[in-house]
Amino acid sequence: MAGGVDTCFSNPGTSEMHFVTALDRVEGMRCILGLFEGVVTGAADGYGRMLDKPAATLLHLGPGLANGMANLHNAHKAQTPIVNIVGDHAVYHRGYDAPLTSDIESAAKTVSSWVRTSPDAKSVASDGAAAIAAAHGAPGQVATLILPADTAWNEGAGLAALPPVEKPRRVAQEAVAEAARALRSGAPAMILLGGKALREGALALAGKIAAKTGARLLAEGAAARTERGAGRVAIGRLPYPVDQALETLKGVKHLILVGSRSPVAFFAYPNKPSLLAPADCQSHLLARRDDDIAHALEWLADELGVRADPAPVISRAAARMATGAISPEALGLSLGALLPEQAIVVDESITTGRNFAKATQASPPHDWLQNMGGSIGLAMPLSVGAAVACPDRKVVSLESDGSGMYTLQALWTQAREALDIVTVVFANRSYAILRHELANVGAENVGRKALDMLDLDRPDLDWVAMSRGMGVPAERVDSMEAFNARFSEALAEKGPSLIEVVL
Ligand SMILES: Cc1ncc(C[n+]2csc(CCOP(=O)(O)OP(=O)(O)O)c2C)c(N)n1
């Protein structure tokens, strides 16, 4: 609490009982139960992305960490600040190989930038403070603190002071000069944005620079949080399919990297490159993700004399809702028309949502959160954390049915905490993206058994029943008129709800 961590997403066990009882003794800590650790870690990710400060988790030994690991992986890739607390056996108990004993540190290292096991109760306060400082390390980090049970029941050493938090580094003058030279060269240039370059202020500066120099402006394939919508600079992203990405980057001679990395394909495919930039394209690193990106862009804008220019922002477009049959395009239209001001959109709509970003670019200003680690099952937990972080904003969770099934327990937490989230499940009843990938990797002679691994029918999932069973009111819609009506109602109400859209 003294280090500014006042929210804990938790799924505890015996080794964490002292921590749990302490919650009632320390005023101000909000503790939220998740019924699966993937909900806990995904929620901490959503919280950290929205507030740029860490929540804590509380996980039960190695298996608890393992259950939470997929979404910790996503958080690690998104560089979200999280104080990830994992309980362990008392130090003297570890040698006996009791059932829950495992190598927690090794597991934690794969998804954390900082890992420490507190050796004793006297160290636990300073280790906790160090974990908080590490989580705040630029641009944000998963810091895992492993707490043996006896660190909680032996005598401690009192409160520890928070060590200084590392500030993002300022970029070197040469990086700014080099970017300016490339942008002035007249050769085709692209400014590729990632990380905090996609926040409103930085994006506005990048927009001014692009407008003046004629460079193209693009975002990496996914971003942890993009501040977008009317009144802001609209930005496309590098497409996921390799051929489309190659086409997008074709002819670019200078790639200015701002909080981004030179693009790589999501997967390798036979006879397709891993690196996507053209061979004769020069990369210029203006700012890494952990640098002070806003400052680097201000400096470059000054260098190019565009700081005082108006940012080329997108204006609110007259929007109409779609009617008739449900299709991805129709859903995009209606989302574009209905998305409320300051919505937090959590997007794991995969195949159905390919056009959603474009369709909503001129909606009222909102935030857009994406999966940075490719491990599906993120949107429902991420929505929990975003809603806890920003109780005055509506969270719109766009979820594919296959992805949703990994962590649907999040709905129960949404109900218990009365979180203001509308979840839209796109029930195409298949792993549609993998059907395309079958062709992309050149797999041939696809038979019934293979297709059975990609279809989600027999039986059809009943999202309305599952949602209601966890306390979240739900409806199924099978026309755009019904979607428009139900989605509008859900936006007007407070609290969680779910809409199953049958495609
Ligand atoms: C944890 C994890 N397991 C498996 C996968 C492989 N995978 C990628 S996409 C996908 C299916 C996605 O289906 P759905 O969410 O329904 O999206 P759709 O393409 O149908 O819109 C799977 C299983 C993954 N990315 N992450």
Side-chain angles (χ1 to χ4, degrees):
M1 283 292 299
V5 179
D6 59 11
T7 304
C8 177
F9 298 98
S10 148
N11 187 270
T14 306
S15 44
E16 296 80 46
M17 286 298 114
H18 284 77
F19 188 118
V20 171
T21 57
L23 292 170
D24 285 309
R25 280 183 276 121
V26 180
E27 266 310 304
M29 179 66 83
R30 180 171 182 194
C31 205
I32 295 168
L33 181 62
L35 300 185
F36 174 67
E37 290 86 346
V39 175
V40 169
T41 53
D45 186 1
Y47 180 97
R49 289 190 198 197
M50 291 314 301
L51 295 187
D52 292 322
K53 71 166 199 158
T57 62
L58 183 59
L59 304 174
H60 186 51
L61 295 98
L65 172 64
N67 279 345
M69 216 141 127
N71 274 340
L72 270 181
H73 161 89
N74 288 329
H76 184 50
K77 296 285 182 185
Q79 298 188 295
T80 305
I82 296 180
V83 176
N84 181 44
I85 299 180
V86 187
D88 194 3
H89 286 310
V91 174
Y92 60 84
H93 195 63
R94 269 203 225 126
Y96 302 121
D97 195 27
L100 277 160
T101 310
S102 69
D103 182 357
I104 302 176
E105 278 201 1
S106 292
K109 276 178 190 153
T110 64
V111 290
S112 317
S113 302
W114 182 100
V115 178
R116 184 178 294 177
T117 302
S118 214
D120 52 42
K122 294 274 184 249
S123 317
V124 80
S126 54
D127 287 343
I132 296 170
H136 276 289
Q141 309 196 93
V142 177
T144 296
L145 179 63
I146 301 164
L147 296 183
D150 53 344
T151 61
W153 69 59
N154 288 331
E155 197 60 42
L159 274 185
L162 199 65
V165 169
E166 204 186 304
K167 290 225 165 59
R169 269 183 310 263
R170 296 207 154 174
V171 301
Q173 198 261 335
E174 182 42 39
V176 177
E178 183 183 324
R181 263 197 309 276
L183 288 166
R184 286 192 185 112
S185 72
M190 177 184 280
I191 305 172
L192 187 69
L193 305 185
K196 289 188 177 157
L198 293 160
R199 302 287 175 89
E200 185 173 13
L203 193 48
L205 287 164
K208 294 177 190 185
I209 294 166
K212 176 73 176 282
T213 60
R216 285 160 65 200
L217 197 60
L218 200 73
E220 288 185 311
R225 169 146 84 94
T226 305
E227 292 181 337
R228 62 198 298 276
R232 292 172 171 164
V233 172
I235 183 163
R237 349 177 153 112
L238 195 65
Y240 170 92
V242 171
D243 293 332
Q244 287 179 34
L246 291 171
E247 193 53 38
T248 304
L249 293 166
K250 204 163 141 188
V252 175
K253 294 281 188 262
H254 294 289
L255 193 60
I256 317 294
L257 302 170
V258 189
S260 63
R261 288 186 294 196
S262 192
V264 296
F266 209 96
F267 289 105
Y269 300 90
N271 307 317
K272 289 187 185 175
S274 294
L275 297 175
L276 301 173
D280 63 347
C281 171
Q282 261 184 291
S283 287
H284 310 276
L285 181 63
L286 176 68
R288 299 183 341 181
R289 286 215 282 177
D290 51 353
D291 288 333
D292 188 340
I293 291 171
H295 178 259
L297 283 167
E298 278 167 14
W299 200 353
L300 182 59
D302 281 339
E303 183 77 20
L304 296 166
V306 301
R307 181 94 165 255
D309 290 0
V313 298
I314 191 165
S315 30
R316 179 96 186 89
R320 64 179 176 86
M321 290 181 274
T323 53
I326 290 178
S327 68
E329 293 68 30
L331 288 163
L333 260 185
S334 285
L335 284 173
L338 294 172
L339 209 58
E341 179 138 4
Q342 289 307 320
I344 301 168
V345 180
V346 178
D347 179 17
E348 196 171 40
S349 54
I350 313 204
T351 305
T352 308
R354 290 261 184 262
N355 72 329
F356 289 174
K358 184 122 190 44
T360 53
Q361 65 178 0
S363 295
H366 58 274
D367 284 22
W368 196 278
L369 277 47
Q370 289 173 280
N371 189 331
M372 297 295 289
S375 179
I376 59 175
L378 179 60
M380 292 191 190
L382 205 66
S383 301
V384 166
V388 169
C390 304
D392 300 331
R393 299 175 66 174
K394 193 85 191 184
V395 176
V396 176
S397 181
L398 304 174
E399 183 65 296
S400 274
D401 51 358
S403 300
M405 282 305 290
Y406 286 72
T407 45
L408 74 169
Q409 304 91 327
L411 292 171
W412 179 86
T413 304
Q414 296 182 8
R416 186 189 229 198
E417 300 291 328
L419 300 176
D420 199 11
I421 302 169
V422 50
T423 301
V424 185
V425 174
F426 301 104
N428 61 10
R429 295 173 180 159
S430 77
Y431 287 161
I433 186 173
L434 297 185
R435 283 176 156 262
H436 300 291
E437 293 289 49
L438 260 184
N440 289 338
V441 297
E444 283 163 8
N445 304 322
V446 179
R448 187 63 251 165
K449 284 188 200 168
L451 291 177
D452 271 350
M453 298 302 105
L454 310 180
D455 289 337
L456 304 183
D457 56 357
R458 309 194 327 270
D460 287 342
L461 295 159
D462 185 342
W463 279 99
V464 172
M466 293 190 289
S467 183
R468 289 181 183 163
M470 283 181 278
V472 174
E475 301 285 342
R476 184 174 295 124
V477 298
D478 53 13
S479 71
M480 284 312 298
E481 286 80 357
F483 173 78
N484 298 337
R486 187 58 213 119
F487 189 57
S488 304
E489 280 165 23
L491 293 174
E493 296 157 0
K494 270 266 187 198
S497 60
L498 181 142
I499 304 171
E500 179 181 352
V501 177
V502 181
L503 282 133

